[in-house]
Amino acid sequence: MAHAEALATLRERLAAAPRWCVLSGAGMSAESGIATFRDAMSGLWSRFDPMQLASEAGFRADPARVWDWYAERRAGVRAAQPNAGHRALGAYAQRHPGRLTVITQNVDDLHQRAGNTDALRLHGDVLGERWLDRCRRDPGCHPDWALAGSPPHCERCGNLVRPDVVWFGEPLPLAVFDAAQRAVDAAAVLLVVGTSGAVWPAAGLVARAHRAGAWVAILNPEASEVDDEADQCLRGTAATLLPALLDGL
Ligand code: BV8
């Protein structure tokens, strides 16, 4: 089926869908200048070992190195702007409240800044902070009160501040993951945008949607690990395909 025809039929399905979902990954923010993880050359994982940097053990082994890496990524997120793909999803949600659920693996805030303020963040918020350990002295102690440093720390008990993200080996926030599972169970269509589908349990949402009877469409310039679960794959980028699918809907 020609690309234009494939786009047109998917657009009709979205127009008719009472409820649908997007599952997004790093490719969603690539055109906003935020590096993806697996891109061979520029991807974060081609330059850094995820287990050393995005894990509790890695942070405890070298807190300053991990904190500085996240500080670099936070600066990149603050300097970035939502792209045409984020904006198309945000504008659609304004026009059709309650029909779209955005589920993201991204720890940036570009979906929220584009208007999808209720996006489900499976892997946390890189601009957020929390204590590494439960404060032994004062459970009410807040990370904002921490002494500045790399990383900031509690001057009384030495507790470290960590980014509010889900590291490898850590469970996803249960309430968020539950809400994501319920959303894909109720969806007529799932758009899988800019993810390699390599990270679990997020990747499992694609097969779950398919089992639940949703029409699964993948938007990605490359093949991904979840293509087998798809009813159609549209080869293209988030900032080009999403406006083509949603503008005017
Ligand atoms: C857990 C936050 C257990 C931190 C992240 C089952 C099978 C195998 C392994 C496992 C399994 N179950 C669990 C595991 C282990 C592990 C895992 O999945 N490992 C993988 C690597 C094999 N999972 C975990 O550890 C999870 N936790 O299992 O806990 C548990 C349970 C109960 C109690 C205790 C413990 C936690 C996983 C979350 C880790 N945190 N991020 C941080 O960001 O620093 S994951 C991080 O990497 C991102 O959030 C994202 O999820 C992932 C990167 O994937 P993508 O977003 O897809 O990005 P990628 O670069 O790979 O691909 C980009 C795609 O975009 C490409 O396809 C490209 O073609 C495309 N693209 C590029 N440009 C564009 C584009 N598309 C559109 N437009 C463009 N312009």
Coordinates of all heavy atoms in Angstrom, one line a residue, residues 67-105:
W67 N 25.7 12.1 38.5 CA 24.9 13.4 38.7 C 25.3 14.4 37.5 O 24.4 15.0 36.9 CB 25.3 14.0 40.0 CG 24.5 15.3 40.2 CD1 24.9 16.6 40.0 CD2 23.1 15.4 40.6 NE1 23.9 17.5 40.2 CE2 22.8 16.8 40.6 CE3 22.1 14.5 41.0 CZ2 21.5 17.2 41.0 CZ3 20.9 14.9 41.3 CH2 20.6 16.3 41.3
D68 N 26.6 14.5 37.2 CA 27.0 15.4 36.2 C 26.4 15.0 34.8 O 26.1 15.8 34.0 CB 28.5 15.5 36.1 CG 29.1 16.1 37.4 OD1 28.3 16.7 38.1 OD2 30.3 16.0 37.6
W69 N 26.3 13.7 34.6 CA 25.8 13.2 33.3 C 24.3 13.6 33.2 O 23.8 14.1 32.2 CB 25.9 11.7 33.2 CG 25.4 11.1 32.0 CD1 25.9 11.3 30.7 CD2 24.3 10.1 31.8 NE1 25.2 10.5 29.8 CE2 24.2 9.8 30.4 CE3 23.4 9.5 32.7 CZ2 23.3 8.9 29.9 CZ3 22.5 8.6 32.2 CH2 22.4 8.3 30.8
Y70 N 23.6 13.5 34.3 CA 22.2 13.9 34.3 C 22.0 15.4 34.2 O 21.1 16.0 33.6 CB 21.4 13.3 35.5 CG 20.9 11.9 35.3 CD1 21.7 10.8 35.8 CD2 19.8 11.7 34.5 CE1 21.3 9.5 35.5 CE2 19.4 10.4 34.3 CZ 20.1 9.3 34.8 OH 19.7 8.0 34.5
A71 N 23.0 16.1 34.9 CA 22.9 17.6 34.8 C 23.1 18.0 33.4 O 22.3 18.9 32.9 CB 24.1 18.2 35.7
E72 N 23.9 17.4 32.6 CA 24.1 17.6 31.1 C 22.8 17.4 30.4 O 22.3 18.2 29.6 CB 25.2 16.7 30.6 CG 25.9 17.1 29.3 CD 26.8 16.0 28.9 OE1 27.7 15.6 29.7 OE2 26.6 15.5 27.7
R73 N 22.2 16.3 30.7 CA 20.9 15.9 30.0 C 19.8 16.9 30.4 O 19.0 17.3 29.6 CB 20.5 14.5 30.3 CG 21.4 13.5 29.7 CD 21.1 12.0 30.0 NE 19.7 11.7 29.7 CZ 19.1 10.6 30.1 NH1 19.7 9.8 31.0 NH2 17.9 10.3 29.7
R74 N 19.8 17.3 31.7 CA 18.7 18.3 32.1 C 18.9 19.6 31.4 O 17.9 20.2 31.0 CB 18.9 18.5 33.6 CG 18.4 17.3 34.5 CD 19.1 17.1 35.8 NE 18.7 18.1 36.8 CZ 18.0 17.7 37.9 NH1 17.5 16.5 38.0 NH2 17.7 18.6 38.8
A75 N 20.1 20.0 31.2 CA 20.4 21.3 30.5 C 19.9 21.2 29.1 O 19.2 22.1 28.5 CB 21.9 21.6 30.5
G76 N 20.1 20.0 28.5 CA 19.6 19.7 27.1 C 18.1 19.8 27.0 O 17.6 20.4 26.0
V77 N 17.5 19.2 28.0 CA 16.0 19.2 28.0 C 15.5 20.7 28.2 O 14.6 21.1 27.4 CB 15.4 18.3 29.1 CG1 13.9 18.5 29.3 CG2 15.7 16.9 28.8
R78 N 16.1 21.4 29.1 CA 15.6 22.8 29.3 C 15.8 23.7 28.0 O 15.0 24.6 27.7 CB 16.4 23.4 30.5 CG 16.0 22.8 31.8 CD 16.4 23.7 33.0 NE 16.0 23.1 34.3 CZ 16.9 22.4 35.0 NH1 18.1 22.2 34.6 NH2 16.5 21.9 36.2
A79 N 16.8 23.4 27.3 CA 17.1 24.2 26.0 C 16.3 23.7 24.8 O 16.2 24.4 23.8 CB 18.6 24.0 25.7
A80 N 15.7 22.5 25.0 CA 14.9 22.0 23.8 C 13.5 22.6 23.8 O 13.0 23.1 24.7 CB 14.9 20.5 23.9
Q81 N 12.9 22.5 22.6 CA 11.5 22.9 22.4 C 10.7 21.7 21.8 O 11.3 20.9 21.0 CB 11.5 24.1 21.4 CG 12.0 25.4 21.9 CD 11.3 25.8 23.2 OE1 10.1 25.7 23.4 NE2 12.2 26.3 24.1
P82 N 9.4 21.6 22.2 CA 8.6 20.6 21.5 C 8.7 20.7 20.0 O 8.7 21.9 19.5 CB 7.2 20.9 22.1 CG 7.4 21.7 23.3 CD 8.7 22.5 23.1
N83 N 8.7 19.6 19.3 CA 8.7 19.7 17.8 C 7.3 19.6 17.3 O 6.3 19.4 18.0 CB 9.7 18.6 17.2 CG 9.2 17.2 17.6 OD1 8.1 16.8 17.4 ND2 10.2 16.5 18.2
A84 N 7.2 19.6 15.9 CA 5.9 19.6 15.3 C 5.0 18.3 15.7 O 3.8 18.4 15.7 CB 6.0 19.7 13.8
G85 N 5.8 17.3 16.0 CA 5.1 16.0 16.4 C 4.4 16.2 17.8 O 3.2 15.9 18.0
H86 N 5.2 16.7 18.8 CA 4.7 17.0 20.1 C 3.5 18.0 20.0 O 2.4 17.8 20.6 CB 5.7 17.7 21.0 CG 6.9 16.8 21.3 ND1 8.2 17.1 20.8 CD2 7.1 15.8 22.2 CE1 9.1 16.3 21.3 NE2 8.4 15.5 22.1
R87 N 3.7 19.0 19.2 CA 2.6 20.1 19.0 C 1.3 19.5 18.4 O 0.2 19.8 18.8 CB 3.2 21.2 18.3 CG 4.3 22.0 18.9 CD 4.6 23.4 18.3 NE 4.9 23.3 16.9 CZ 6.2 23.1 16.5 NH1 7.2 23.0 17.3 NH2 6.4 23.1 15.2
A88 N 1.5 18.6 17.4 CA 0.3 18.0 16.8 C -0.5 17.2 17.8 O -1.8 17.3 17.9 CB 0.7 17.1 15.6
L89 N 0.2 16.5 18.7 CA -0.5 15.7 19.8 C -1.1 16.6 20.8 O -2.3 16.4 21.2 CB 0.5 14.7 20.4 CG 1.0 13.6 19.6 CD1 2.2 12.9 20.3 CD2 -0.1 12.5 19.3
G90 N -0.4 17.7 21.2 CA -0.9 18.6 22.1 C -2.2 19.3 21.6 O -3.2 19.4 22.3
A91 N -2.1 19.7 20.4 CA -3.3 20.4 19.8 C -4.5 19.5 19.6 O -5.6 19.9 19.9 CB -2.9 21.0 18.4
Y92 N -4.2 18.2 19.2 CA -5.3 17.3 19.1 C -6.0 17.1 20.5 O -7.2 17.1 20.5 CB -4.8 15.9 18.6 CG -5.9 14.9 18.6 CD1 -6.6 14.6 17.5 CD2 -6.2 14.2 19.8 CE1 -7.7 13.7 17.5 CE2 -7.3 13.2 19.8 CZ -8.0 13.0 18.6 OH -9.0 12.1 18.6
A93 N -5.2 17.0 21.5 CA -5.8 16.8 22.9 C -6.6 18.0 23.3 O -7.7 17.8 23.9 CB -4.7 16.5 23.9
Q94 N -6.2 19.2 22.9 CA -7.0 20.3 23.2 C -8.4 20.3 22.5 O -9.4 20.6 23.0 CB -6.3 21.6 22.8 CG -4.9 21.8 23.4 CD -4.8 21.7 24.9 OE1 -5.6 22.2 25.6 NE2 -3.7 21.0 25.3
R95 N -8.3 19.8 21.2 CA -9.6 19.8 20.4 C -10.5 18.6 20.9 O -11.7 18.7 20.7 CB -9.2 19.6 18.9 CG -8.5 20.7 18.3 CD -8.5 20.6 16.7 NE -7.9 19.4 16.3 CZ -6.6 19.2 16.0 NH1 -5.8 20.3 16.3 NH2 -6.1 18.1 15.6
H96 N -9.9 17.5 21.3 CA -10.7 16.3 21.7 C -10.3 15.8 23.1 O -9.7 14.7 23.2 CB -10.4 15.2 20.7 CG -10.6 15.6 19.2 ND1 -11.9 15.6 18.7 CD2 -9.8 15.9 18.2 CE1 -11.8 16.0 17.4 NE2 -10.5 16.2 17.1
P97 N -10.7 16.5 24.1 CA -10.4 16.1 25.5 C -10.8 14.7 25.8 O -11.9 14.3 25.4 CB -11.1 17.1 26.4 CG -11.4 18.3 25.5 CD -11.6 17.7 24.1
G98 N -9.9 13.9 26.4 CA -10.3 12.6 26.9 C -10.2 11.5 25.9 O -10.4 10.3 26.2
R99 N -9.9 11.8 24.6 CA -9.9 10.7 23.6 C -8.5 10.1 23.5 O -8.3 9.0 23.1 CB -10.3 11.2 22.2 CG -11.8 11.4 22.1 CD -12.3 11.9 20.8 NE -12.0 11.0 19.7 CZ -12.2 11.3 18.4 NH1 -12.8 12.5 18.1 NH2 -11.9 10.5 17.4
L100 N -7.4 10.9 23.7 CA -6.0 10.5 23.5 C -5.3 10.3 24.9 O -5.4 11.2 25.7 CB -5.3 11.5 22.7 CG -3.7 11.4 22.7 CD1 -3.3 10.1 22.1 CD2 -3.1 12.6 21.9
T101 N -4.6 9.2 25.1 CA -3.7 9.0 26.2 C -2.3 8.9 25.7 O -2.0 8.0 24.9 CB -4.1 7.8 27.0 OG1 -5.4 7.9 27.5 CG2 -3.1 7.6 28.2
V102 N -1.4 9.8 26.1 CA 0.0 9.8 25.7 C 0.7 9.0 26.8 O 0.7 9.4 28.0 CB 0.6 11.1 25.5 CG1 2.1 11.1 25.3 CG2 -0.1 11.9 24.3
I103 N 1.4 7.9 26.4 CA 2.2 7.1 27.3 C 3.7 7.3 26.8 O 3.9 7.0 25.7 CB 1.8 5.6 27.3 CG1 0.3 5.5 27.6 CG2 2.7 4.8 28.2 CD1 -0.2 4.1 27.2
T104 N 4.6 7.8 27.7 CA 5.9 8.0 27.2 C 7.0 7.3 28.1 O 6.9 7.2 29.3 CB 6.2 9.5 27.1 OG1 7.5 9.7 26.4 CG2 6.3 10.2 28.4
Q105 N 8.1 6.9 27.4 CA 9.3 6.4 28.0 C 10.2 7.5 28.3 O 11.2 7.4 28.9 CB 9.9 5.3 27.2 CG 9.1 4.1 26.9 CD 9.7 3.2 25.8 OE1 10.6 2.5 26.1 NE2 9.2 3.4 24.6

